[in-house]
Amino acid sequence: MPPLPGAELIQTSVQLYRYLLRCCRQLPSAAMQQHYRHAIRQSYNSHSDEKDPERILLMINRAVADADWILEKHLLSQTQV
């Protein structure tokens, strides 16, 4: 299950960027949010010149899956405390 509704509608890198920033808001601490926002921004900047639609789709799918994993990890660890 994707972390936020609308993950299946992502088709562009800008949509992915905005989606991942919204996912960051669900993280428990401000330090975590800042860390992942920085990582998202760096990754977006380093891949902004990608033109291959297949590769972009693979990156989108991977990023959504990674966001799901990160949110599950942090939110589950928060409930177990």
Side-chain angles (χ1 to χ4, degrees), residues 28-63:
S29 75
M32 278 186 219
Q33 291 176 13
Q34 183 179 7
H35 169 78
Y36 285 109
R37 274 196 315 264
H38 178 73
I40 290 165
R41 189 175 300 114
Q42 290 295 328
S43 184
Y44 177 79
N45 289 335
S46 69
H47 295 291
S48 63
D49 60 344
E50 184 64 53
K51 301 295 181 207
D52 182 15
E54 264 185 52
R55 178 135 166 80
I56 292 171
L57 186 60
L58 286 173
M59 284 191 267
I60 288 171
N61 291 334
R62 179 58 190 229

Side-chain angles (χ1 to χ4, degrees), residues 59-71:
M59 284 191 267
I60 288 171
N61 291 334
R62 179 58 190 229
V64 169
D66 288 349
D68 187 22
W69 180 82
I70 289 169
L71 284 175

